[in-house]
Amino acid sequence: MTPLLLVCRDPLSPRRTDPHFAAEARAAGERGLRVARIDHDALLAGDAAGAVAGVPRDAGAAWYRGWMIPAGRYAELAEALAGRGVTLLTPPASYRRAHELPGWYGTFAPVTPRSAWFPAEAGRAPDRERLAAGAALLGGGGPVVVKDYVKSRKHEWDEACYVPDRADTDRLAAVVGRFAELQGEFLAGGVVLRSFERFTAAGEARVWWLDGRPVLTTAHPDTPDRLPTPALDAVAPCVADLDCRFVTTDLALREDGVWRVVEVGDGQVSGLPRDVDPGPLLAALARG
């Protein structure tokens, strides 16, 4: 039996698929995947049982393709689905490992910017002393980028993302504080400091991996007009070592000609550029 594909329902029209995922849902059906909808808003509000009320019982194995889910809520989703006889093909531990930087960083350390992180409560930044110590762990000097375990605020680059000198604790604390303020309740896990590396203007490539094999390469959704062709020889062993079935890696070419991993993600919640045919990806997922 082919897997079930779980997509998000339209909050304004519960019997329809969220428009952002409608094309994927259609392509899934064309490739033999069964499709069901979950209520993403209910899941985030803590009502996992209500979120999966429309999922058929005893439907077997399932992939999710939808909006990001905090790791704790994903575990609740998996439990609620199990109660209906549905098993997510990405278990909660694997989801967290691929979705949050502390889970994947050790595996990808040789091919990604050096990083330090601090668990933090939503809306609260680590104190100056901890930030200074974390910046020192990165070694040397130079700029750093601020993010949480999942996302940055790169569109507020100077205000809440980029620190020109990691040794400038006042500036570092100001940027981290503003980042935590803007993230508010959506701050994921904690605060991360990443050494800033200079990349070429070629853009980022998003490589989609299933069971350790690259099945699709797309542009990053933020730069859909730029699609470089990355070298994967150094990245493939890291993906295999991570031991997560469905992941993405965003790669960029550093100015010295070395391909670097900018981000790793769980493939279920990674975005496709709007003009990309989802068929090849869904055909791979249909094989279970």
Side-chain angles (χ1 to χ4, degrees):
M1 185 165 58
T2 58
L4 181 69
L5 187 73
L6 300 172
V7 296
C8 296
R9 76 180 195 182
D10 186 343
L12 301 179
S13 183
R15 293 186 179 183
R16 297 178 180 271
T17 299
D18 186 308
H20 191 85
F21 303 102
E24 287 191 45
R26 287 193 297 271
E30 293 167 358
R31 284 155 181 83
L33 281 156
R34 298 162 297 141
V35 179
R37 290 181 287 272
I38 69 165
D39 185 338
H40 186 262
D41 290 346
L43 179 63
L44 296 193
D47 182 11
V52 303
V55 176
R57 291 187 178 274
D58 301 318
W63 296 109
Y64 170 71
R65 277 293 295 157
W67 300 116
M68 284 187 179
I69 303 172
R73 295 297 189 205
Y74 185 89
E76 294 170 4
L77 172 65
E79 183 178 2
L81 288 169
R84 298 181 70 86
V86 178
T87 303
L88 285 168
L89 286 163
T90 296
S94 294
Y95 177 81
R96 184 184 290 273
R97 191 159 66 250
H99 184 57
E100 297 183 344
L101 182 140
W104 59 260
Y105 175 77
T107 304
F108 285 83
V111 295
T112 197
R114 195 165 184 179
S115 302
W117 58 88
F118 322 86
E121 296 179 7
R124 298 186 63 181
D127 61 39
R128 291 168 49 88
E129 290 73 20
R130 293 181 71 199
L131 291 173
L137 286 175
L138 300 181
V144 294
V145 172
V146 176
K147 65 188 296 291
D148 64 19
Y149 288 5
V150 177
K151 295 180 71 67
S152 71
R153 299 192 69 93
K154 60 186 177 183
H155 300 298
E156 292 112 353
W157 184 252
D158 293 318
E159 178 185 7
C161 187
Y162 178 73
V163 182
D165 181 3
R166 69 190 65 174
D168 184 349
T169 304
D170 288 339
R171 181 62 184 156
L172 178 62
V175 171
V176 171
R178 183 58 174 153
F179 171 80
E181 178 186 0
L182 291 172
Q183 286 294 86
E185 64 179 306
F186 299 106
L187 187 135
V191 171
V192 177
L193 304 181
R194 299 263 278 163
S195 292
F196 175 76
E197 297 184 0
R198 296 190 180 279
F199 300 114
T200 71
E204 294 181 22
R206 174 161 289 179
V207 183
W208 302 74
W209 305 79
L210 184 63
D211 295 327
R213 296 186 304 106
V215 296
L216 181 67
T217 299
T218 69
H220 191 282
D222 289 347
T223 53
D225 58 326
R226 287 178 279 171
L227 177 54
T229 303
L232 302 180
D233 52 323
V235 178
C238 299
V239 173
D241 288 345
L242 189 65
D243 194 26
C244 296
R245 292 199 60 194
F246 183 28
V247 299
T248 55
T249 54
D250 294 342
L251 293 102
L253 186 63
R254 200 165 59 189
E255 288 184 345
D256 63 358
V258 176
W259 285 99
R260 301 287 277 168
V261 173
V262 179
E263 194 70 70
V264 176
D266 180 86
Q268 298 177 112
V269 297
S270 297
L272 279 168
R274 288 188 177 276
D275 61 347
V276 169
D277 175 10
L281 179 62
L282 293 163
L285 294 179
R287 294 192 288 269

